[in-house]
Amino acid sequence: MKKVPSALSPVIAVDRKAAKPLHKQIYDAFRSMIVGRNLSAGQQIPSTRALAMELKISRIPVLTAYSQLLAEGYFEARAGAGTFVCSSLPDQLTSSDKSSSRSVDVRSGTRVTSRRAKLLPRYERLPWLRGMGAFNLSQPAFDQFPFPTWSRIVMRHCRNLHARELHYGGPLGLEELRKAICSYLRTARAVHCDTNQVMIVAGSQQALEISARVLLDDRSAAWVEEPGYWLTRQVLTAAGCRLVPVPVDSEGLDVGFGVKKCRKARAAFVAPSHQYPLGATMSASRRLQLLDWAQSSGAWVIEDDYDSEYRYGNMPIASLQGLDNNSRVIYIGTFSKTLFPSLRLGYLVIPPDLVDRFVAVRYAMDIGPPHFFQAVLTDFMNEGHFARHIRRMRQLYAERRTALVDELQKEFGSALEVLGSEAGMHLTVILPKGFRDQEVAARAAREKLWLAPLSPAYVGETPRQGFILGFGNTPAEEMPKAVRQLRSVLCGEKNVSAKTTGHKENS
Ligand SMILES: Cc1ncc(COP(=O)(O)O)c(C=O)c1O
């Protein structure tokens, strides 16, 4: 049987008619790839036989080139393993010969990119999103996830992959998973749906992106909550839309304000069950007002129902979509909070007459969702693990949330206003005047305390400074220490005394 070479063949063009001998061409090509860092120290090189076959030349020039590269220290031979780029190439070897490699940083000529791409802020992993630990946002209790069960299902699917599952799937996603989600949504969220309206997507983010592409045109006006979820704003910005910030109060989105400011908006993006980041639940009258506006002005409502599985104290709040008699609501949900965010699975519930457009747009975008984890999740749901996990987590997060609220009260009294602790895996604290939340957050991150500042959640002027504190991945017993650390970060601010934060010196 023919031996398959274990190393990739680098791109080497040899010219048999050139004056330069073949062995010199091969030597030069390897040398410049090493110096230009296209081949890295320790990387395996194809065998002389494999390269000669690849280049369709005799083995002799390849052997000559390799022996010279070995003699000069560019290559090293490892007995029984093959030939490698020398693992200890001196720096001057790779930095002295810049002329032989084409820099990847060439910037000549006009380099036009789209206006939309330029509208987006540069991606950076903000300091307060970098670590794992107390208060970090969007982190469920990773150590409580039933990994043995999940792994068992993963293994089962690995062992039983059928050829048809390796082929392209449909743009809506796996039918069995859509069925399971549909039944879950009807029961747990009072969503009106049938399987053909459910589309599996790569998290809420893709759902927002597809919705924007289907429903909005360049310069379309869209209401966004103020403050609100910054990634919704980025999707809309990238879509070339005109953002209309509509303030949020204790009853949720101020629909009256929105109507006055821009009645003709094409869409409203809302999180009515647990507004992000202030946490209000939209009141029944505002919900009806929003649906009335949508119907009378021909607008769409995009409902981001990202974490309402976790509700404490009072009864679960039904979805806005379930109240809508005119199919004006596009419903979005995610498994990022209930399972884990790297799964990148979420769903859309699409009004029946729009399914066709959503499918067309989605197909042009990424064809459809990857099969494997859809199949795993289907079994996870159908075997009852999903419902069980949510029940367990609801209890656990309720404890963590109580521990956090109690500690905040103990350490800060009324100096910190706490908002939105009735649901989800985060709450928001409003800081007394004089604090700059981003500055404090950057400083706290250096001490490994992850405080997401409130101010970036505003499109316009920021009336309040505060922090959005995640509690999903912080055990209740670690909460006192984390809150004390928060207090010490706040009290360390210049011109701010412990008194300002309401803390008693002897506590
Ligand atoms: C308001 C809001 N919507 C949606 C999500 C979830 O996004 P995804 O499903 O893309 O992970 C988050 C995550 O933190 C969020 O805060």
Side-chain angles (χ1 to χ4, degrees):
M1 209 167 71
K2 212 161 120 191
K3 202 171 156 212
V4 181
S6 53
L8 288 173
S9 292
V11 184
I12 297 178
V14 287
D15 181 355
R16 281 193 199 75
K17 293 194 195 115
K20 201 196 251 187
L22 287 176
H23 70 84
K24 182 77 173 102
Q25 292 184 40
I26 297 166
Y27 167 87
D28 284 348
F30 270 115
R31 188 179 176 282
S32 71
M33 273 190 277
I34 293 169
V35 171
R37 295 174 198 259
N38 289 351
L39 289 175
S40 44
Q43 185 175 335
Q44 190 168 12
I45 297 302
S47 68
T48 50
R49 191 183 308 276
L51 188 65
M53 271 169 68
E54 183 91 14
L55 299 179
K56 297 188 175 57
I57 56 174
S58 105
R59 209 171 144 213
I60 294 164
V62 184
L63 278 166
T64 311
Y66 274 38
S67 66
Q68 190 171 350
L69 289 157
L70 281 161
E72 290 179 12
Y74 289 100
F75 282 3
E76 64 188 7
R78 293 185 203 159
T83 307
F84 296 79
V85 177
C86 186
S87 47
S88 56
L89 285 172
D91 273 355
Q92 64 271 32
L93 203 67
T94 52
S95 58
S96 63
D97 195 0
K98 292 244 162 55
S99 58
S100 64
S101 72
R102 224 185 78 211
S103 164
V104 288
D105 207 19
V106 176
R107 290 184 196 182
S108 58
T110 36
R111 304 172 64 76
V112 182
T113 56
S114 75
R115 187 182 64 82
R116 287 180 182 185
K118 286 192 209 100
L119 291 172
L120 285 174
R122 194 174 147 267
Y123 168 77
E124 58 178 323
R125 197 151 171 81
L126 294 162
W128 42 88
L129 298 176
R130 281 183 198 150
M132 304 268 284
F135 304 143
N136 205 321
L137 270 187
S138 307
Q139 289 187 3
F142 293 121
D143 60 341
Q144 299 297 317
F145 186 74
F147 283 110
T149 307
W150 182 261
S151 308
R152 197 165 28 76
I153 303 175
V154 166
M155 288 314 294
R156 191 162 75 214
H157 282 276
C158 280
R159 281 193 296 265
N160 300 311
L161 261 185
H162 298 290
R164 68 173 178 280
E165 290 157 1
L166 302 177
H167 197 44
Y168 291 111
L172 282 173
L174 205 63
E175 184 170 4
E176 294 77 10
L177 178 58
R178 292 189 287 116
K179 244 187 224 161
I181 290 172
C182 197
S183 126
Y184 163 70
L185 291 178
R186 283 194 200 133
T187 313
R189 305 293 307 123
V191 169
H192 289 313
C193 61
D194 107 9
T195 308
N196 297 332
Q197 289 171 259
V198 178
M199 176 184 276
I200 311 296
V201 288
S204 314
Q205 202 54 32
Q206 192 182 26
L208 289 166
E209 174 71 35
I210 300 175
S211 305
R213 289 199 197 185
V214 173
L215 306 172
L216 304 169
D217 290 304
D218 206 20
R219 304 300 303 152
S220 292
W223 293 2
V224 288
E225 294 171 322
E226 175 78 332
Y229 183 44
W230 56 86
L231 283 176
T232 302
R233 293 192 326 233
Q234 292 199 6
V235 164
L236 297 175
T237 302
C241 296
R242 187 158 63 83
L243 300 188
V244 181
V246 177
V248 168
D249 59 23
S250 60
E251 284 192 71
L253 187 87
D254 186 344
V255 180
F257 181 101
V259 172
K260 244 189 248 152
K261 189 147 176 220
C262 184
R263 174 187 285 279
K264 293 215 164 101
R266 177 85 64 87
F269 287 75
V270 287
S273 299
H274 187 219
Q275 197 273 334
Y276 186 89
L278 298 185
T281 302
M282 194 183 245
S283 66
S285 63
R286 289 270 177 89
R287 285 172 187 244
L288 295 173
Q289 214 183 337
L290 181 63
L291 294 174
D292 277 354
W293 161 76
Q295 177 59 12
S296 63
S297 63
W300 304 105
V301 177
I302 293 80
E303 175 177 16
D304 181 3
D305 202 25
Y306 64 104
D307 72 356
S308 43
E309 284 82 5
Y310 302 125
R311 219 176 162 89
Y312 320 109
N314 46 18
M315 295 293 286
I317 307 289
S319 66
L320 178 69
Q321 195 266 12
L323 262 188
D324 171 27
N325 295 322
N326 297 298
S327 292
R328 288 262 157 216
V329 177
I330 290 86
Y331 177 91
I332 295 175
T334 179
F335 291 103
S336 289
K337 309 282 177 185
T338 47
L339 300 179
F340 50 95
S342 71
L343 188 59
R344 303 313 301 139
L345 280 176
Y347 41 88
L348 271 160
V349 179
I350 307 162
D353 57 325
L354 298 190
V355 169
D356 167 51
R357 287 300 85 207
F358 272 75
V359 164
V361 165
R362 200 281 161 75
Y363 189 67
M365 203 175 194
D366 71 345
I367 299 180
H371 171 87
F372 189 80
F373 282 108
Q374 289 189 83
V376 170
L377 181 53
T378 307
D379 287 358
F380 191 78
M381 292 183 87
N382 288 344
E383 291 170 19
H385 309 298
F386 180 66
R388 201 168 309 122
H389 182 58
I390 290 183
R391 265 199 309 277
R392 276 188 59 233
M393 291 305 98
R394 197 174 285 141
Q395 171 95 28
L396 184 83
Y397 295 147
E399 285 161 21
R400 293 181 175 187
R401 164 245 186 205
T402 304
L404 175 55
V405 172
D406 289 353
E407 283 306 313
L408 288 170
Q409 172 63 29
K410 192 167 118 203
E411 293 290 340
F412 296 99
S414 57
L416 284 193
E417 191 186 349
V418 176
L419 299 172
S421 66
E422 293 78 28
M425 289 156 39
H426 65 264
L427 53 77
T428 296
V429 291
I430 305 296
L431 290 168
K433 285 211 167 15
F435 288 93
R436 309 293 308 164
D437 54 14
Q438 297 196 56
E439 285 163 24
V440 183
R443 211 156 55 79
R446 291 198 283 278
E447 294 172 30
K448 304 221 169 331
L449 190 68
W450 315 109
L451 308 173
L454 173 64
S455 56
Y458 287 88
V459 178
E461 217 168 276
T462 306
R464 300 193 263 193
Q465 304 276 321
F467 298 119
I468 310 158
L469 305 179
F471 54 80
N473 201 24
T474 311
E477 58 278 13
E478 287 175 21
M479 222 55 99
K481 182 170 164 243
V483 175
R484 277 200 306 276
Q485 213 185 337
L486 168 65
R487 196 196 74 206
S488 106
V489 168
L490 286 173
C491 291
E493 280 286 284
K494 58 178 185 300
N495 302 329
V496 178
S497 66
K499 218 167 143 204
T500 321
T501 63
H503 173 247
K504 295 184 205 80
E505 285 303 330
N506 58 357
S507 63

